[in-house]
Amino acid sequence: MEITKLRDKTLQSIKPQVKRYRIYIKSHPGLFLLVNPSGRISFQYRFQLAGRRREISLGVYPNTKYKTLLASYAKAVKAVDNNVDPLAVKEAEQDEDNPTTAELAKRFLERYAGRKLRETTAKEYERLLNKHVLPKWKNRKAEDIKRSHVVSLVEKMAAKTPIQANRTLAVIKSMFTYGVKVGLLESSPAAGVSLPGKERIKDRVLTLDEITIMLKALEEAPRDARDILLLILLSGQRPGEVCSMHESQLNGDWWNMAGAETKSGRAHRVYLSRWTREIIQNRQDDGLTKDGYFFPGGVSRPHIRTDNLKNWFHRRLHKLFKEAGIAEPFTAHDLRRSAATGMAMLGHAAVVPDILNHAPQGITRTVYDRYDRGPEIKRALQAWEHAVKHAVEGIKEGTVIPVDFQ
């Protein structure tokens, strides 16, 4: 969309739409309005300097008046004409200020979380800050936040949601530590604050008998739930990575994930044993895939998400498994732990970290040892599949290496 001139009357007549859109102003090259569905209008100036295209925000309407906007625009244009980056000038000016907690959070999310963390992790940091921290502290100067403020906030949270309190404290610590590192703060008020919520060490491992009961019970569960849980169990991969499995990741008997597609951020490949390949092939044959995803999601999501799995467990699966004879509840992630434990007890402990895509430990593995352990990974996953399959089919002991998790 484009308008000839920018006037107050024009700004007042702009209406939001379902999706965010831009309005360019002919009379002011590079200047445009960004209109959000909420009705919020921000002034943006796009410029090119040293072969790089950049954008700088000049304010938000109606907080930024028309005359102020024009003055900021003229200043930015003059800077570009003089080969000076107005965005760098703005950031330098902000760095010299004594930031509020909201300003510190914004910079932390943009320059640290948004650049160095996985997208999903960065979004979770932003969610926790917006929900639990900024409503209370956003207008306070970051240097005025004291240890007592941090303790009070997280302890109140811990009374109702202890795990969320722990996660929020971790984000608060990360944000203030960043502030110290970049010179905005002398010290972090969250340093040394203990976790307010008690967390149970996750050690749930299903026995082969429980796995057999689970698979039998899953015959009454939705097809997606059955296939996802079985793939997690057989492959040992994270629930989120199984849910987002895509046809483009498969190459013969191997499942290849790019670094951006894994929680660890490292590229990873997993051998697909016969049973896992059958599950995948059956979903393709039955027309259950969509846009390449083996577990397509709803209208707004390309694939099923881990929160869908959690809802299935809470609404139906916990009750289903309990009625089938599994007394102690478990989660989808516990199946990954069960697979790791099973493979280790079958004699393949050395490659379990490789299968789980955990970070290699020690200078030898991280620097010198570049062997990918493909054959060993294949043997471990095949042995685990055989142990599960034979337990489910009731084949007599001695056919495979016995596994006892007790």
Side-chain angles (χ1 to χ4, degrees), residues 222-229 231 242-243 245 247 275-290 292-297 304 312:
R223 171 78 174 274
D224 286 340
R226 182 168 68 249
D227 289 349
I228 288 173
L229 294 185
L231 283 175
V242 171
C243 288
M245 180 184 280
E247 291 175 350
W275 199 352
T276 59
R277 295 199 301 272
E278 287 176 358
I279 296 170
I280 293 168
Q281 187 62 53
N282 288 339
R283 292 190 68 83
Q284 290 177 315
D285 294 342
D286 295 342
L288 298 177
T289 62
K290 182 180 179 182
Y293 289 102
F294 287 99
F295 301 100
I304 288 173
W312 291 344

Side-chain angles (χ1 to χ4, degrees), residues 49-50 78-85:
L49 198 64
K78 184 177 179 180
V80 173
D81 289 341
N82 292 325
N83 289 320
V84 176
D85 186 345

